[in-house]
Structure formats: structure tokens, C-alpha cells
Amino acid sequence: MKEKISQILDDFLRNKGVKVEYVVEYPKSEKFGDYATNIAMALASVFKKNPKNIAKEIIDFIGCNELFEKIEIAGAGFINFFINRDAFLKELKVIYEKRDDYFRPSVEKRYVQVEFVSANPTGPLHIGHGRGAAIGDSIARILKFSNHRVEKEYYINDAGLQMHLLGLSTFVRYKQLLGYDEPLPEDGYKGEYLIDIAKDLMVQYGDSLLFKDEDEAIEICKEKAADVILKDIMAVLDKFRVKFDKIFNESKLYKQEMEESLDYLKEKGLIYEKDGALWFKSTQFGDEKDRVVRRSNGAFTYFASDIAYHRNKFLKRKFDKVIDVWGADHHGYVKRVKSAIEAFGVNPDRLRVVLVQIVNLLRDGKKVSMSTRKAEFVELEDVIDEVGVDAARFMFISRSVDSHLDFDLELVKKESSENPVYYVQYAYARINSIFSQLDDFDLSSLEELKLNEKEEIDLIKSLIMFKELIRKAHDEIEPYFVVKGVLNIAEKLHKFYNKHRVIGSEEKIMLSRLFLLESVKTALKLGFDLIGVEAKKRM
């Protein structure tokens, strides 16, 4: 509907030989129609006319159109469109016939990589990782539904200082178990999960690690801890319905790809030496300052890894689009990574970084602090076990990625309309309950839809809006719009269900309502699939 209105308005602009930015949106109140546009006000400065006079000119241009019941001018010059009921019924027939394809965005196919979670294998996943996992996986699902070729990737930082500290912390735990009174390193990892890993090392090695070169012993401890922790991470993600197409180890970048990347930048005159370190001229690409890529001690920086990794993505694996899902605390890295991409001759717009804001988990009204090093964090697996995968995934996506999220554990365990997860799943279950009571019915022979009630038309409107929201979720890389869509459909379904009967109504009305509910069921099931939530037939 919105596209059809936009096409009409674009025809008007072409007829006048002008271009202007305008919006077609949903009015805040039903009394202002089904859609509204500000185009007349946007044209006021172009035509040097009162917006109301321009609005009247646009309405005259549209003339008689079966799409509209009426068109009104409101306020300072808004144009409000009231859609004809028959147009809604005609659209419902299209939805019923096309099913999922009706909602599928029509876009040019791309080869897209979505890299997300990518937590260092230094400890269990916490709820912050959980939100990134739910968002990244849902982004990939939406892009796949839109016919893109999508690869989901987990990047393992298995090199550098943090991994050394993991090995050292594990080695200290190992020595403590053998009776040595040695404190954990100040910057080390203090979680008790390392004690269990140290116990496994004792079973495997006895006390023999004490007699090895310390660096060798720490390396053995690091590899053991990383292996155990990574397996646990993947097991939790699998439980969370998140699977990856590829695991990429940072160590694969050492040293060849890093050297290749820096050599390329050197040839371009974009690397220089200062104070014994190598610097990348990122300021040439809009960054606030140049960045160190190799320290004076010869060690590569994390940024050097990012450079090589993204060169690998774009120039070696040739992704058309790369989407990185990062924590909000990494916002300062976006510009520098984009500057490196641009230095390689790649349009930086081909990289989209999704910055996910933090989750506040509430227990007894108090926020639970999270710190991997201090072992003060709530594990994702514990949340899954307490509230279930559906509730966790739904809630993690229930706010825009750039909004903080308060996750109320008690709320999502309630079986009431207060709980948004229950609310939408119950809508689907209600539809299935109606169909389960019918032995046999034929909708294919239904020629005319007997749908006249406001709640019926509102349901159709919610389906049309859902199509638009899925497109918005695709274009803006924002799964929240899918949640918004299923919540809207559920709200309209519950209002319809509480006011009108399906079974027991006059036969043509019953079949028409079943026709409508079949399309509602299709939309809800699709929405659940796109965010990784189960469509429950019974509740």
C-alpha cells in the first residue's frame, strides 16, 4: 500500500518536473486515515505556494482511484489517505496466495558475511554475548530470507596478551591444586571455571608441567583452556539455536597475512616509522589520529589483526557486504577499520558495523554487574535454563540494537499479556486451536471474502505493515522491526479473537475468517523463524 501511494506521488513529481524528499507514514491516530504524507509541505518552498493548495492540487491529480475510499487534507497540509476496504481484501488474497513470498523483500542478491559473538575463548558467554548472538543470528536469517547468500562467522582471538593471561591464570590454578601458595596475576582471569580445567590438566599431566620451561607450560595451559572454553561456548550457542558456517582463528593471520597487508600499505605510502613503531596514516581517511600497527617491541597491535582480517574478507574471500556485530564499547574502532578498508581500495560502505548496547539483567530490582576477569557475570546458559531459549532470544531483540535493554527475568516467566513473548506465542497457539477443532474445510473455492468488521480489516493492515517492517529490518540491518511486526499482529489477533467468533458463525463468514487467519498464521510463523523463536501450536 505504501509503495503504491509513493508511486502515485512520484508520478505527480515527474509530471511537475521536480524532486523532493517526502515520507509516507502511518498516522498516530486512525481518524487521520491509513497513511499520511508530508509531500505538500516539502513542496511549499519549491512551488512558493501554501501547502494546503499544493495538497489540493495533488488530490486533483490522483482523481478517482479505486485504492482510496477518500483523501483528506489535515493540519498545515498533510494529506491523509483512507484505503478502500475492497483494496484491503484484494491485498489479503495476494498474501494468501503468495504466503512467505509476499513478505520477501525484492532486493539484488549479494554475498554477505555476518560476523558476530566472536568472544575470546577466555571464559563463558555472558548475557551481553547473548544479545549479540541473538541479533547477529537474526540478521543472518533476515538476509537469507531476502535471498542473499549469507555466511555466519565466529572470529576467535587466539593470539595476543589476553590468551597469554588465560594460560598464565590456568597455570597458577594448576599450581595451587598442587599445593603451591601462588596468587593469580592481577590482570588474570579469576573465574572458578579455570579450576576445573586445571584439574583436567592434573589428570593428563600429573605434576610434570612444573618441571617444564615456564613458557612451554603456560602455552600448554593456554591451549587446553582455550579448547575447553571454546567447546563450551559452541555448546551454549548451539543450545541457543545459533550455528556458524565458519570458525576463523586470528592465529591464521599471523604472520603471513599481516605482513602482506602492511607491505601493501607500505607500497601505497600509508605506513611510516616513528619511535621504533610502525604507524598507519588513518587520518588520510578521516580518522582522528594515525594508528600503531606494530609496536616498538615488534608485536602486532589488535588493529593490525583487524586490518589483515578485513582484507581477507573483502579481497581474498570477496564478500560483497560484511556485517560486523560488536559491543557498543568498540565504537571507537569503526572509523579506523573503515579507513583501512578504504586504503585497500574497497568502498568503506561495504562494511556495516552493528554496535549492540548493553543488557541490564535485573534481579530483585538490582542490576547484576558483569566482569569476566573478576568472575562477576551472569552466564548466558543460566539465563537460558531459567527462562528458555524463546524468551531469551525474543527479549534480546525486543529493543533496537542502539538501545539499552533491561531484561526482567520475572516478567518473561509470566503467562500473561504483560509478557511479550507469551503474548505473541499465544496468538499463534490460538489460531492453531481454532483450526484443530475443524475436521475439513475448503478455502480454495471461496470467491468473495465476507470481512467487514473493523478488527478484521485491522488484522489485514497488520499483515501489510509486517511486509514493510521486514523490508525495513533488511535495509536498516535491524531485527527489532520483525519483533515490532509480530507484536502488532498479535495485538490485532487478540482483539479480533476476543470480539468475534470463527467457529459457529455463518458459513461464508467463518470461511472468510479462516482465510484471514491462515495468512496471519503464515506471517507469525515467518516472524518467529526470522528471530529464532519457536511457533508453539499449544500453550
Side-chain angles (χ1 to χ4, degrees), residues 18-157:
V18 298
K19 289 184 179 181
V20 71
E21 294 291 328
Y22 68 91
V23 294
V24 177
E25 58 190 356
Y26 294 99
K28 293 180 180 178
S29 171
E30 291 181 355
K31 68 181 181 181
F32 297 125
D34 299 301
Y35 296 92
T37 181
N38 67 340
I39 188 171
M41 290 177 285
L43 285 168
S45 61
V46 178
F47 291 162
K48 309 298 183 186
K49 291 182 180 179
N50 186 308
K52 288 186 177 181
N53 294 333
I54 298 172
K56 185 178 184 307
E57 190 175 344
I58 293 170
I59 293 173
D60 290 340
F61 173 83
I62 294 172
C64 294
N65 189 310
E66 63 180 12
L67 180 62
F68 307 114
E69 179 183 310
K70 62 179 178 177
I71 307 174
E72 293 181 347
I73 301 170
F78 284 101
I79 304 175
N80 297 333
F81 300 94
F82 295 77
I83 305 299
N84 192 308
R85 182 188 69 91
D86 290 340
F88 282 121
L89 299 185
K90 184 179 179 181
E91 194 75 5
L92 176 60
K93 288 181 179 180
V94 177
I95 297 171
Y96 181 85
E97 290 169 4
K98 289 190 173 182
R99 300 188 180 273
D100 279 4
D101 282 340
Y102 174 83
F103 302 98
R104 197 183 312 277
S106 178
V107 294
E108 188 175 349
K109 185 176 181 180
R110 291 282 186 263
Y111 182 27
V112 186
Q113 184 210 53
V114 185
E115 185 236 316
F116 59 106
V117 184
S118 298
N120 295 346
T122 54
L125 296 177
H126 56 61
I127 60 169
H129 297 131
R131 191 179 189 200
I135 288 170
D137 187 60
S138 296
I139 288 170
R141 288 169 183 252
I142 292 164
L143 293 174
K144 283 183 179 179
F145 175 69
S146 304
N147 285 329
H148 296 294
R149 179 187 168 196
V150 181
E151 285 190 15
K152 296 186 290 183
E153 182 157 298
Y154 189 113
Y155 176 73
I156 303 174
N157 182 343

Side-chain angles (χ1 to χ4, degrees), residues 209-259:
L209 294 183
L210 298 174
F211 305 103
K212 292 183 179 291
D213 176 79
E214 184 173 81
D215 288 341
E216 182 183 355
I218 291 172
E219 183 66 20
I220 291 170
C221 290
K222 181 193 83 172
E223 290 180 0
K224 175 69 174 181
D227 181 62
V228 170
I229 292 170
L230 184 61
K231 285 179 180 176
D232 287 344
I233 286 173
M234 290 302 160
V236 173
L237 288 172
D238 185 66
K239 189 176 182 178
F240 201 46
R241 302 183 191 135
V242 175
K243 297 180 184 296
F244 290 91
D245 301 304
K246 184 176 179 63
I247 306 294
F248 191 102
N249 296 73
E250 182 190 13
S251 56
K252 290 181 180 178
L253 299 172
Y254 281 83
K255 283 187 179 182
Q256 183 177 347
E257 291 211 33
M258 286 194 176
E259 295 288 4

Side-chain angles (χ1 to χ4, degrees), residues 521-533:
K521 181 180 173 183
T522 296
L524 285 174
K525 175 65 166 61
L526 171 61
F528 293 148
D529 287 346
L530 292 179
I531 58 175
V533 170

Side-chain angles (χ1 to χ4, degrees), residues 278-323:
L278 292 182
W279 297 69
F280 168 57
K281 295 180 181 179
S282 54
T283 50
Q284 288 194 14
F285 304 94
D287 196 8
E288 60 185 16
K289 62 181 181 180
D290 292 343
R291 306 290 177 176
V292 177
V293 289
R294 179 183 274 164
R295 297 187 180 90
S296 56
N297 63 3
F300 290 110
T301 62
Y302 286 125
F303 181 43
S305 297
D306 288 335
I307 291 173
Y309 183 38
H310 285 83
R311 176 176 176 269
N312 178 282
K313 292 183 183 192
F314 285 109
L315 299 187
K316 291 203 170 183
R317 288 187 278 166
K318 300 188 181 303
F319 291 107
D320 297 316
K321 182 88 174 179
V322 169
I323 298 169

